[in-house]
Amino acid sequence: MPDAVTDRLEALRGRMKQAGADLLALGPGNHMHWLLGFHPHADERPCLLLVTAGGEAFLMPALNAEGSREHTAITFHQWGDADGPDEALTAALADVGGANAKMVVLDETMRADFALLLMDRLPGASHQFTDATLGALRMCKDNVEFTFLKENALINDRAMQAAFATAKPGVSELEVAAAVRDHFKSEGAAPEFSIVGGGPNGAFPHHQTGDRKLQKGDAVVIDIGGRKDGYPSDMTRMAVIGVPPEGYEEVHAIVDSAVKAALAACKPGVKAYEVDAAARRVITEAGYGEYFVHRTGHGLGIDIHEPPYISASSETVLENGMVFSIEPGIYLPGRFGIRLEEIVILRDHGPEIFSELPRTTHVVEV
Ligand code: ZN
Ligand code: ZN
């Protein structure tokens, strides 16, 4: 087994012990991918990785066994379409010593029918989701993950510059998004999303990029992400086409101050809601509180949105190694929106920003 997998399994068993869990079950998805570096093809055929203090084993659809064997030496309990998974599940549970499990950690992202197939076998068992175990481990990134996230962030910086170079009067949002996608591909990254919101469209935080053409006087929200080596990027910057709309500079300065206040509040031991409050306070005191309509940030890892969430209700205690966004915004209906988004990794001394691109507005000369 690769060292990274052995280390993660050991850390996971430590968390399971603390959480009083005697069995953990993952479906083929990103939790499994983080743990093993791969996951079998995900379809309707029950496929589970079972982990206990004493061992680990797969319930594995025979159809996917060969392809999965290239990636792992973990025991497979295979089942075929003609027989169904019941016997193989019995054998897998016996193999790991999980047949009498009382507290099961369930992958909250797996199919409900997989979860119920397992829980129906364990009468009287209760469950918890992964937040105290595998989820807690995933929040803190190791150096390998940091390297991938940093590489992706710098690709994103260059993709953003490609967007800036394309944004001109008469060019549509979709054309700017296409330039972003082309840039990601040119660096071997898969485009994940590109939100380009010009003028009044910028006031919709998750605007559906469309065929509206940019025009002089537009503020443009550009929020883009790509993926390489299994890890994504995510960043938002602002451009204006020629002259900014009325009130733009004032609002931009407020949003930037909110970013700075959130960054200043980020320290190990602080609760996530305190960071959200720091950003929100700046915007509220400037009179725009009702126009900051979303949480301040989200974790970034294999998933583009994952814990820790930087929201008004999140009690998560921030720790060294956590990676998350700081992305306050002000959205003025019918006028424009401004969001500025940084991805940071928390270090002992505070947050370190991944991007090397300043948050100043890019002004397109017209
Ligand atoms: Zn984000
Ligand atoms: Zn974003």
Side-chain angles (χ1 to χ4, degrees), residues 64-363:
N64 300 330
E66 203 180 326
S68 300
R69 185 46 81 208
E70 294 168 22
H71 302 280
T72 181
I74 293 173
T75 304
F76 292 169
H77 295 275
Q78 296 186 36
W79 62 273
D81 287 351
D83 303 314
D86 289 348
E87 272 182 42
L89 178 57
T90 304
L93 281 167
D95 183 2
V96 298
N100 296 311
K102 290 285 166 258
M103 174 54 80
V104 184
V105 177
L106 288 179
D107 175 349
E108 63 281 352
T109 70
M110 80 165 127
R111 290 174 58 114
D113 54 352
F114 292 13
L116 291 171
L117 176 73
L118 177 67
M119 295 310 285
D120 286 349
R121 287 302 190 85
L122 303 169
S126 48
H127 75 273
Q128 53 181 276
F129 294 124
T130 65
D131 42 316
T133 54
L134 191 139
L137 293 172
R138 275 185 64 183
M139 282 197 285
C140 294
K141 273 59 181 179
D142 63 22
N143 279 334
V144 174
E145 295 181 289
F146 169 75
T147 306
F148 289 150
L149 288 164
K150 181 74 185 180
E151 178 195 21
N152 272 286
L154 297 182
I155 294 172
N156 197 313
D157 281 1
R158 294 185 286 270
M160 185 63 73
Q161 282 161 321
F164 289 161
T166 310
K168 289 187 177 60
V171 172
S172 73
E173 295 171 351
L174 281 167
E175 286 168 316
V176 175
V180 168
R181 283 200 300 278
D182 288 347
H183 186 88
F184 278 128
K185 287 184 206 157
S186 77
E187 295 212 45
E192 282 270 345
F193 64 93
S194 38
I195 299 170
V196 179
N201 287 344
F204 303 112
H206 276 167
H207 168 61
Q208 195 81 36
T209 304
D211 50 18
R212 181 185 179 278
K213 291 185 185 346
L214 301 179
Q215 53 197 45
K216 198 173 163 184
D218 277 354
V220 190
V221 178
I222 307 173
D223 184 355
I224 59 176
R227 183 182 295 269
K228 191 175 177 183
D229 295 320
Y231 282 79
S233 60
D234 181 10
M235 183 175 70
T236 311
R237 291 291 185 266
M238 294 299 305
V240 300
I241 311 297
V243 281
E246 188 172 346
Y248 177 89
E249 272 110 348
E250 182 209 345
V251 175
H252 185 279
I254 294 164
V255 176
D256 194 56
S257 297
V259 171
K260 287 178 180 149
L263 291 171
C266 287
K267 290 193 183 67
V270 162
K271 289 184 174 174
Y273 74 80
E274 297 176 74
V275 175
D276 181 82
R280 208 164 292 282
R281 193 176 307 122
V282 170
I283 291 176
T284 303
E285 283 176 3
Y288 289 94
E290 65 183 294
Y291 303 108
F292 177 18
V293 292
H294 54 71
R295 65 189 174 209
T296 295
H298 56 84
L300 185 84
I302 296 174
D303 287 300
I304 297 176
H305 288 180
E306 62 175 43
Y309 293 103
I310 311 300
S311 70
S313 60
S314 173
E315 299 271 348
T316 304
V317 177
L318 300 181
E319 287 176 49
N320 189 335
M322 286 184 177
V323 170
F324 49 88
S325 72
I326 298 292
E327 51 178 307
I330 293 176
Y331 307 92
L332 302 176
R335 294 174 61 196
F336 59 84
I338 297 181
R339 176 164 69 255
L340 296 170
E341 176 177 23
E342 298 287 15
I343 302 295
V344 303
I345 183 163
L346 190 58
R347 303 295 197 189
D348 280 335
H349 55 86
E352 202 176 288
I353 296 173
F354 280 92
S355 170
E356 294 176 2
L357 210 61
R359 288 189 299 278
T360 45
T361 302
H362 173 79
V363 180

Side-chain angles (χ1 to χ4, degrees), residues 12-31:
L12 178 59
R13 291 195 165 100
R15 292 280 182 161
M16 286 170 65
K17 194 173 175 197
Q18 282 171 20
D22 33 25
L23 173 67
L24 171 136
L26 303 179
N30 285 346
H31 282 323

